[in-house]
Amino acid sequence: MEVLDLELQTLVEQVSLEDFGLAFEHQAVWNNRLRTTGGLFYPMDCHLAFNPLMYQRLTSIQFRQIIRHELCHYHLFRQKKGYQHRDRDFKNLLAKVDGLRYSPKVMSKKYRIYQCQKCGQEFKRVRQIDTKRFRCGRCSGKLIYQTTRYM
Ligand SMILES: [Zn+2]
Ligand SMILES: [Zn+2]
């Protein structure tokens, strides 16, 4: 599902003007189905789609680099230059604006952090654990769920 968002639209327009000196004149939307891809460019109607998970989990600088990457496709396509990854034009422009070459892989894995109430030892687990049954391996203290992070 694609979701229009004024904030995203404004951000993309801003990055386009500031980093490319060119206006972004189409739509930028969130796409909840994207998993490992940061964003997508659609040559059919020139809209851009972005992965909301990347926005949540990356720093604003990294997300801006993803926007730059998609804008490289966008502006080169409109200028009728080589807008695909393998094209020299694309590589040059991406390097010039400091865009992200590949989507970061960090997003895919999620893990939970538990902490021992007694000795303070932290445990990272990909799977959820039953804190009633499992105890700290060092002191057999009670484990408490802390937070969920992404690798
Ligand atoms: Zn791309
Ligand atoms: Zn412990």
Side-chain angles (χ1 to χ4, degrees):
M1 195 175 64
E2 296 197 326
V3 186
L4 264 172
D5 179 47
L6 192 60
E7 239 174 276
L8 175 66
Q9 181 73 31
T10 308
L11 180 62
V12 176
E13 285 174 7
Q14 190 188 332
V15 174
S16 184
L17 277 179
E18 288 175 4
D19 301 345
F20 293 79
L22 296 165
F24 174 67
E25 295 168 326
H26 291 77
Q27 281 186 337
V29 297
W30 294 118
N31 187 328
N32 299 317
R33 285 191 310 250
L34 299 179
R35 285 288 165 261
T36 55
T37 313
L40 278 177
F41 166 61
Y42 294 85
M44 294 277 282
D45 63 358
C46 282
H47 85 279
L48 299 181
F50 292 95
N51 184 340
L53 296 176
M54 297 271 175
Y55 184 67
Q56 290 159 21
R57 296 172 198 171
L58 296 177
T59 65
S60 57
I61 293 167
Q62 285 174 309
F63 190 71
R64 193 180 179 104
Q65 289 179 311
I66 289 178
I67 295 177
R68 285 177 187 152
H69 177 113
E70 300 313 325
L71 283 172
C72 282
H73 289 300
Y74 174 82
H75 288 303
L76 290 169
F77 179 78
R78 298 194 74 201
Q79 291 161 9
K80 300 193 171 24
K81 290 180 181 165
Y83 72 100
Q84 292 178 344
H85 291 155
R86 60 169 188 271
D87 294 325
R88 171 82 24 219
D89 289 334
F90 182 85
K91 287 174 184 162
N92 289 345
L93 185 58
L94 192 70
K96 196 178 142 199
V97 298
D98 185 29
L100 215 56
R101 183 73 187 88
Y102 300 104
S103 288
K105 299 244 183 283
V106 288
M107 355 299 321
S108 40
K109 261 205 176 141
K110 179 166 117 172
Y111 63 91
R112 295 173 172 83
I113 296 173
Y114 296 86
Q115 191 174 26
C116 172
Q117 204 176 20
K118 214 164 140 190
C119 73
Q121 174 74 33
E122 282 192 350
F123 299 89
K124 291 177 189 166
R125 290 290 179 272
V126 172
R127 294 218 200 145
Q128 193 166 358
I129 59 170
D130 180 358
T131 52
K132 287 195 185 81
R133 285 181 56 201
F134 292 95
R135 295 271 172 157
C136 170
R138 283 172 60 182
C139 75
S140 63
K142 193 172 160 30
L143 297 179
I144 296 174
Y145 167 76
Q146 296 287 320
T147 183
T148 298
R149 292 220 182 97
Y150 298 87
M151 290 187 236

